[in-house]
Amino acid sequence: MTNEPTRDAPLAWRKSSYSGNNGGTTDCVEVAFTEVEALVRDSKFPDDGSIRMSPSVYGSLIAWASQLELPA
């Protein structure tokens, strides 16, 4: 995990549409994009940094995750 560098404009973070509710706490992942990278963070701890990756790696991550069978 890394802390985001200072940017001229703030990032536009979006919450996952598949975020769930677990015992009163919301389990959310947020994503933001720049021209050259995708950033992913835990919405419960936004100041703890983010995982940064190239758009192609992010696309591979989403393709892999979309094939997982999650418990009901």
Side-chain angles (χ1 to χ4, degrees), residues 13-45:
W13 291 96
R14 298 183 335 198
K15 286 190 180 182
S16 168
S17 60
Y18 290 98
S19 296
N21 194 336
N22 184 10
T25 61
T26 303
D27 296 324
C28 292
V29 173
E30 295 178 322
V31 64
F33 298 94
T34 70
E35 292 181 13
V36 296
E37 63 189 353
L39 298 91
V40 180
R41 72 180 182 184
D42 183 338
S43 65
K44 293 184 302 295
F45 305 102

Side-chain angles (χ1 to χ4, degrees), residues 52-72:
R52 300 165 63 178
M53 62 195 84
S54 69
S56 64
V57 169
Y58 178 76
S60 296
L61 174 66
I62 296 303
W64 170 79
S66 68
Q67 295 179 13
L68 294 176
E69 293 186 30
L70 301 176

